Amino acid sequence: METRISGWRIALGAVVTVILVFMLLPSLITAVISFGSSNQIVFPPKGFSLALFRRFFAEEGWVASTWLSFRVAIWSTLLALLLGIPAAYALTRGSFPGRKILALFLLSPVMVPHVAVALALYIYFTEIRLTNGELRLIFAHAIATLPFVVVTASAGLRHIDPALERAATVMGASRLIVLRRVTLPLLTPSIIASGLFAFLISFDEVVISWFVARAGDTTLPIKMFSSIQFEVSPVLAAISTMLTALSIVVCVIVATVQKEARSG
């Protein structure tokens, strides 16, 4: 009986390993190509160099698009946190009519197809005559990332024992002091995690950006998508490698913060 269970575990481990390799292989191949010395996408590369990374910084437009993506991601993340954390607190701790409807409304950007959200935002921004392209991108990305902040913060709040807040209240602390000195410090790991995820999602957003961006406001994903329509530049491999590295760094930070929170 024990031998049969071990066999199943070995088979399950083998299947999981194959799936992981299948998922990681495209990124690994792209990373190897990005260190090639050819002006074309060649695998395996004939020589290794950092020429493609130098081209990214030298060619016109790439750095400007990257900087725009960083600005939009940072401001939209801050906006999503300002809206999402209070909303998560109200949904988790509060009890008021229409709470479930409000939750559905806040989570709707991830349930509705992205292209429908993008078209709705484009029409809305046109109707209110919002012509600043960067501002349109910030508002649109904040709406797109808001559900992830609400879900992550709500999960963090559910792990905070309400007895701690009640004890502080019994000791005479006002609701604001309880929120500032008890709830928010305990919620900090979830706030950091939700902010980092929102930043990554905003930085990678292309569908909504394509609809709401105006001429000249080209984020990095839009420029990459536009570039691949007319040529397959090997610089794209270098950019993909840098974006993959950024995602790994963010995931490591989130895992570290969550681990320290659990051990603390």
Side-chain angles (χ1 to χ4, degrees), residues 20 22 87 96 113 157 217 261:
L20 286 176
F22 179 77
F96 52 90
L157 281 166
D217 297 313

Side-chain angles (χ1 to χ4, degrees), residues 12-85:
L12 182 62
V15 171
V16 171
T17 303
V18 169
I19 293 173
L20 286 176
V21 170
F22 179 77
M23 293 174 66
L24 289 174
L25 208 53
S27 298
L28 293 176
I29 291 174
T30 305
V32 173
I33 292 173
S34 68
F35 289 98
S37 57
S38 173
N39 286 325
Q40 296 179 336
I41 292 181
V42 178
F43 183 82
K46 296 177 181 176
F48 288 91
S49 74
L50 299 176
L52 298 180
F53 294 93
R54 286 195 291 269
R55 281 180 59 181
F56 167 77
F57 291 101
E59 289 184 2
E60 184 179 0
W62 288 115
V63 174
S65 298
T66 304
W67 180 232
L68 174 63
S69 290
F70 265 110
R71 288 201 308 272
V72 170
I74 289 171
W75 285 112
S76 62
T77 297
L78 291 175
L79 187 56
L81 288 173
L82 284 174
L83 297 173
I85 301 301

Side-chain angles (χ1 to χ4, degrees), residues 113-126 207-208 211-212:
H114 251 42
V115 67
V117 175
L119 181 60
L121 288 171
Y122 170 78
I123 296 172
Y124 177 68
F125 290 149
T126 303
V207 176
I208 293 177
F211 273 76
V212 303

Side-chain angles (χ1 to χ4, degrees), residues 55 58 98 135 140 159 181 225 228:
R55 281 180 59 181
L135 209 54
H159 283 89
R181 296 190 177 181
F225 189 72
I228 207 168

